[in-house]
Amino acid sequence: MMNGSCISYVTPADEALQTLRDAAQAGAVTLASSFSVEDMVLTDLIDRHGLAIGIFTLDTGRLPEETYALMQAARRRYRTPVAVYAPQAAALEPYIAAHGPNGFYDSIDLRQSCCAIRKVEPLKRALAGKQGWVTGLRRQHSPTRRDLPLREWDEGNAMHKFNPLAAWSNEEVWAYVKANDVPYNALHDRGFASIGCAPCTRAITVGEDIRAGRWWWENPDTKECGLHPAQADRKAS
Ligand code: SF4
């Protein structure tokens, strides 16, 4: 940024911190953490700077053991508690009875239904009464996220949505993790880039897209779990 004869630079961490401070000013705001490496960066920033932003996670019941181990490590490391939301048995039990425990492999509809029960409905409960939420989404993640703004109006949830790491590169995320000794999912050291439920996540190979290991059997232009609307539904706030 040019200012008279002085040139100043805004670092990715500065930009993220400012976006988090803006979020904290927006009322009751919460970070949706999947314990991804991005969410751990945000957790570290929130905790380190004592920001008035809550944190919650969605325990789908199908997470990898490594994610539960990270949850436990985060409890020891950070003061900010993480509220846990689980799927409702009244919705999950009939789904499993009709389609089996792994019915989500059989069609996109069944995959989306499983995500709706295990993620989208608990998300609605987690966001109830909030004025905004914070996510670890980045533009580099997928074609559906390439125009992601730092903040936007989330029409579906009728609240502000903040994406403090929108512009961060993968290298910048990991540089922050290493510099600040942030705990992260052990699966990242085994080739997993983006980590969700165990049966819907695989490791990627060199040159593959970051999210290639998520729902790898689906078209990359359509695979979202329903937590985040398509770019077309977005507008800046
Ligand atoms: S990611 Fe897979 S297991 Fe997890 S909620 Fe979606 S379909 Fe179900």
Side-chain angles (χ1 to χ4, degrees):
M1 179 170 62
M2 189 80 82
N3 180 12
S5 58
C6 300
I7 297 175
S8 62
Y9 296 97
V10 176
T11 67
D14 290 338
E15 183 179 71
L17 187 55
Q18 187 54 52
T19 306
L20 286 171
R21 290 194 197 285
D22 291 346
Q25 296 295 316
V29 171
T30 183
L31 166 67
S33 174
S34 65
F35 290 89
S36 68
V37 66
E38 290 88 355
D39 295 334
M40 294 311 299
V41 168
L42 292 169
T43 297
D44 192 84
L45 284 167
I46 289 168
D47 197 77
R48 186 179 295 271
H49 296 279
L51 300 177
I53 297 175
I55 304 176
F56 74 89
T57 194
L58 306 177
D59 181 358
T60 65
R62 299 299 301 263
L63 300 178
E65 271 311 307
E66 290 82 354
T67 302
Y68 292 115
L70 177 57
M71 276 190 207
Q72 209 63 32
R75 282 173 65 90
R76 287 192 291 270
R77 169 72 179 265
Y78 298 112
R79 293 162 298 177
T80 313
V82 178
V84 179
Y85 289 81
Q88 294 194 323
L92 190 55
E93 288 172 0
Y95 177 92
I96 292 174
H99 310 293
N102 289 344
F104 44 79
Y105 288 132
D106 293 346
S107 71
I108 291 180
D109 278 353
L110 285 179
R111 201 276 291 166
Q112 290 177 339
S113 308
C114 185
C115 285
I117 293 167
R118 293 183 186 272
K119 295 181 174 181
V120 179
E121 188 282 331
L123 174 74
K124 295 281 181 205
R125 274 185 282 127
L127 294 182
K130 303 291 189 299
Q131 276 80 54
W133 61 312
V134 177
T135 84
L137 300 181
R138 292 192 292 116
R139 292 172 195 145
Q140 273 189 352
H141 278 152
S142 73
T144 58
R145 297 177 183 174
R146 63 184 154 228
D147 299 322
L148 186 74
L150 283 173
R151 61 181 293 173
E152 59 191 315
W153 179 251
D154 177 354
E155 200 75 56
N157 291 303
M159 64 177 61
H160 299 287
K161 186 174 178 182
F162 299 87
N163 310 303
L165 306 185
W168 283 37
S169 67
N170 206 40
E171 291 72 25
E172 287 165 340
V173 171
W174 283 103
Y176 183 96
V177 167
K178 299 297 180 197
N180 296 285
D181 193 27
V182 175
Y184 63 90
N185 197 314
L187 288 174
H188 287 305
D189 293 333
R190 289 184 241 152
F192 288 73
S194 172
I195 302 166
C197 293
C200 300
T201 303
R202 66 160 170 75
I204 61 171
T205 54
V206 177
E208 273 193 306
D209 183 78
I210 291 173
R211 280 171 60 88
R214 304 289 299 278
W215 309 295
W216 60 92
W217 61 93
E218 292 185 11
N219 182 325
D221 291 331
T222 58
K223 59 181 187 183
E224 289 282 358
C225 60
L227 299 186
H228 305 290
Q231 189 62 39
D233 296 337
R234 292 198 174 101
K235 57 185 180 185
S237 65

